[in-house]
Amino acid sequence: MNTNDMNHTDDNFRDSKWREELRAAMPAKERTAIPRVVMPQLPADYRITCNEEVNQGLSAEQAVLEATRCLDCPDPQCIQGCPVGIDIPGFIKNIQRGRISEAARVLKRTSALPAVCGRVCPQEKQCESRCIYNKMKKEPVAIGYLERYAADTDRIERAEKGTPSDKPSCPSNGIRVAVAGSGPAGLSFAGDMARRGFSVDVFEALHEIGGVLKYGIPEFRLPNAVVDAELDSLRAMGVRFHKDTVIGKTLSYDDLLNEGFKAVFVASGAGLPRFMGIPGENLTGVMSSNEYLTRINLMGAGRPGSDTPVMKGHHVAVIGGGNTAMDSVRTARRMGAERAMIIYRRSEAEMPARVEEVHHAKEEGVEFLTLCNPVEYLADEKGRVCAMRVQRMELGEPDASGRRSPVPIEGAIDEIKVDEVIVSVGVSPNPLIPDSIDGLEVSRRGTIEVNEDMRSSIPTIFAGGDIVRGGATVILAMGDGRKAAAGVAAKLLSEAK
């Protein structure tokens, strides 16, 4: 047993002792009687006037009380529900005992972006859905809120004390790996590889590091300062970032090999928007959510002094029911829309967006026109969209995903006044890297095909995130990054022997 293993064993022993003490301090019956914490948030009438973060975070008292609710189950299923396998009871019990830096350290063992995940992950469908409280017909422990609290508090305390970020404990092995894309999959992979002692370079095509975390998610949900702090932690671990570098164009795969990189992790995302193929989609005023959010989030459109143009509709329709649709319609309200609508072909119960995002949108005055499907956009005399025709729908039998399929109601077509339409019906993988590498196997959907270790048909190329999944959550992309890091490390270390 090496020293690290011995230290880890000692940590487990100490953890078990104080966790037993915490369990004994308050009986389970008293813990389960504590109501779930309510996240403080900005009032809706104020927040639609600015880009400030809606959820304001827990106080220390709220966090400790919520952490006390955790029953520290012998077989914690919440961990099984986490795509990156965070020791959830471990970090929560550290919050309960006031050891915030320890809680953050537990999080960072498996997550490169805890402050991000605490804000944008769909915990209600993952870790919190496995919480034992659900079996008691009670609200689950607020795992996401506590993750955010631990990450934020640790970051603030470190800044106040001037304490540097933790360095990798593993010595450098001198082996170089490259990452194409600085979104959640790429960052997760980079963090895990740096912790293992690899030399990591991340190449980003845009002028800002962070991928979809920067261009796709508004600051009222994920502030850029939070993303930047997570990036600084990775820099402190030795990860190097390169902006304005398009792998497959600025640098080829062969260029990377010639520069000494032994493996490449492709995390270039799914940046190509889909449209519906209906009349009028080329009209002025109809755009994808990708373009709309990128102009505002990444390029500062609408901010004082910005040169980036963006349309500001008074009657805005957003087509779709996912988180990106919610981000778009809530952004439209902040950009001055008098009427902002979600147009969704199924019912609200089938919406893939997080319940919290739907709730916040309603608070902010967004209208939900469900069981409606656009069939045509109409133009004014200047060629700008002025109205849309929608087909009324009803739910039929479940489709392949288990959701009930929408069926048109014959003759039920309405016309709605709009002057801006934002289409958010999905994305397709970026084809640049797959098209630039001979022998790389790609599916019919344009995704890179990989095995269980995230290895592609080319032994030195691994891939994960949306370029493999075709569109997924931040945390699923991060899980891919972790899995790929394990596969790359095993391959390169075995070859180095």
Side-chain angles (χ1 to χ4, degrees):
M1 181 180 294
N2 63 39
T3 304
N4 286 338
D5 290 337
M6 290 174 64
N7 290 339
H8 188 60
T9 302
D10 289 343
D11 286 344
N12 288 341
F13 176 72
R14 287 193 295 269
D15 285 356
S16 65
K17 286 191 67 176
W18 62 255
R19 286 164 82 163
E20 286 172 12
E21 291 169 2
L22 289 175
R23 276 195 291 265
M26 181 182 288
K29 187 174 181 180
E30 292 183 31
R31 293 176 185 273
T32 59
I34 301 171
R36 177 180 164 116
V37 70
V38 176
M39 171 66 79
Q41 62 184 48
L42 294 176
D45 59 348
Y46 170 74
R47 68 192 192 223
I48 62 171
T49 67
C50 63
N51 221 24
E52 293 178 30
E53 188 172 12
V54 172
N55 285 339
Q56 293 289 284
L58 303 181
S59 67
E61 293 76 17
Q62 287 176 312
V64 170
L65 188 61
E66 184 64 22
T68 304
R69 294 182 69 223
C70 176
L71 298 176
D72 198 15
C73 305
D75 181 22
Q77 291 301 301
C78 55
I79 297 177
Q80 305 304 315
C82 175
V84 297
I86 289 171
D87 176 8
I88 292 169
F91 94 79
I92 288 178
K93 288 305 165 184
N94 270 302
I95 293 176
Q96 185 184 342
R97 67 199 283 244
R99 300 289 297 274
I100 307 306
S101 61
E102 289 296 323
R105 190 168 288 117
V106 171
L107 285 166
K108 291 175 183 178
R109 286 177 194 160
T110 53
S111 174
L113 308 168
V116 170
C117 292
R119 287 169 163 83
V120 303
C121 283
Q123 290 95 4
E124 69 277 5
K125 296 178 182 178
Q126 295 175 160
C127 53
E128 291 183 14
S129 73
R130 305 285 193 94
C131 180
I132 196 169
Y133 274 86
N134 293 303
K135 294 182 178 179
M136 305 177 198
K137 306 299 181 184
K138 294 177 179 285
E139 290 190 283
V141 174
I143 297 169
Y145 294 171
L146 292 174
E147 181 179 16
R148 167 182 168 163
Y149 172 80
D152 285 0
T153 304
D154 179 65
R155 181 182 72 251
I156 293 167
E157 289 182 350
R158 284 179 180 273
E160 289 174 348
K161 297 175 182 177
T163 306
S165 299
D166 292 334
K167 302 284 186 180
S169 57
C170 187
S172 173
N173 57 34
I175 302 174
R176 301 184 70 194
V177 293
V179 185
S182 67
L187 297 178
S188 178
F189 174 87
D192 267 29
M193 293 303 283
R195 272 188 286 271
R196 287 178 164 94
F198 288 83
S199 175
V200 186
D201 287 75
V202 178
F203 298 92
E204 168 57 49
L206 298 175
H207 64 281
E208 288 275 353
I209 302 297
V212 70
L213 304 176
K214 282 287 185 74
Y215 74 75
I217 303 178
E219 288 208 78
F220 59 76
R221 197 152 72 90
L222 178 62
N224 285 342
V226 171
V227 179
D228 289 338
E230 301 279 47
L231 294 173
D232 286 342
S233 295
L234 290 171
R235 288 187 180 97
M237 296 171 64
V239 177
R240 289 174 295 276
F241 293 99
H242 309 270
K243 297 181 285 188
D244 303 309
T245 306
V246 184
I247 302 301
K249 205 167 187 69
T250 310
L251 280 177
S252 70
Y253 168 61
D254 289 337
D255 290 335
L256 293 173
L257 295 182
N258 291 334
E259 287 189 19
F261 293 102
K262 301 301 181 184
V264 178
F265 178 61
V266 180
S268 50
L272 291 182
R274 293 181 193 154
F275 287 89
M276 298 175 64
I278 62 176
E281 279 187 325
N282 291 326
L283 294 175
T284 302
V286 180
M287 72 189 77
S288 70
S289 57
N290 283 45
E291 178 183 354
Y292 184 67
L293 291 174
T294 298
R295 284 177 177 271
I296 294 169
N297 296 339
L298 186 67
M299 303 175 74
R303 299 177 197 166
S306 172
D307 294 329
T308 302
V310 69
M311 297 191 110
K312 297 181 181 180
H314 297 289
H315 298 82
V316 181
V318 176
I319 316 303
N323 289 324
T324 304
M326 298 306 141
D327 288 342
S328 299
V329 78
R330 295 175 67 197
T331 296
R333 283 289 283 145
R334 285 160 174 77
M335 296 297 288
E338 299 164 13
R339 187 184 189 194
M341 300 164 278
I342 283 287
I343 312 294
Y344 184 58
R345 63 182 186 148
R346 291 182 168 92
S347 73
E348 187 175 320
E350 282 77 36
M351 275 189 179
R354 296 188 68 188
V355 172
E356 181 180 68
E357 300 307 313
V358 173
H359 175 67
H360 282 167
K362 287 181 176 179
E363 287 182 330
E364 293 166 7
V366 172
E367 298 177 46
F368 283 72
L369 305 184
T370 56
L371 293 171
C372 290
N373 199 38
V375 292
E376 184 179 7
Y377 302 118
L378 306 176
D380 63 14
E381 65 280 0
K382 295 181 179 179
R384 176 168 178 152
V385 66
C386 66
M388 63 187 298
R389 302 177 74 224
V390 297
Q391 167 74 61
R392 293 285 177 179
M393 314 291 283
E394 61 184 356
L395 293 180
E397 296 301 314
D399 64 10
S401 69
R403 292 187 295 172
R404 294 174 65 191
S405 298
V407 179
I409 299 173
E410 188 175 353
I413 293 181
D414 297 331
E415 188 170 304
I416 301 171
K417 177 183 176 182
V418 294
D419 56 6
E420 185 173 21
V421 175
I422 301 163
V423 181
S424 183
V425 295
V427 290
S428 298
N430 190 324
L432 183 59
I433 292 178
D435 288 351
S436 69
I437 302 174
D438 292 336
L440 188 63
E441 291 185 7
V442 178
S443 71
R444 288 184 300 172
R445 297 184 301 133
T447 57
I448 296 176
E449 296 195 335
V450 296
N451 66 8
E452 63 277 4
D453 294 327
M454 314 307 292
R455 186 187 300 191
S456 75
S457 55
I458 297 176
T460 51
I461 296 179
F462 289 65
D466 289 355
I467 192 66
V468 168
R469 294 177 178 270
T473 61
V474 166
I475 192 65
L476 287 174
M478 289 178 62
D480 287 351
R482 291 207 74 215
K483 192 182 295 184
V488 172
K491 175 183 184 299
L492 296 183
L493 291 176
S494 66
E495 292 174 353
K497 289 180 179 179

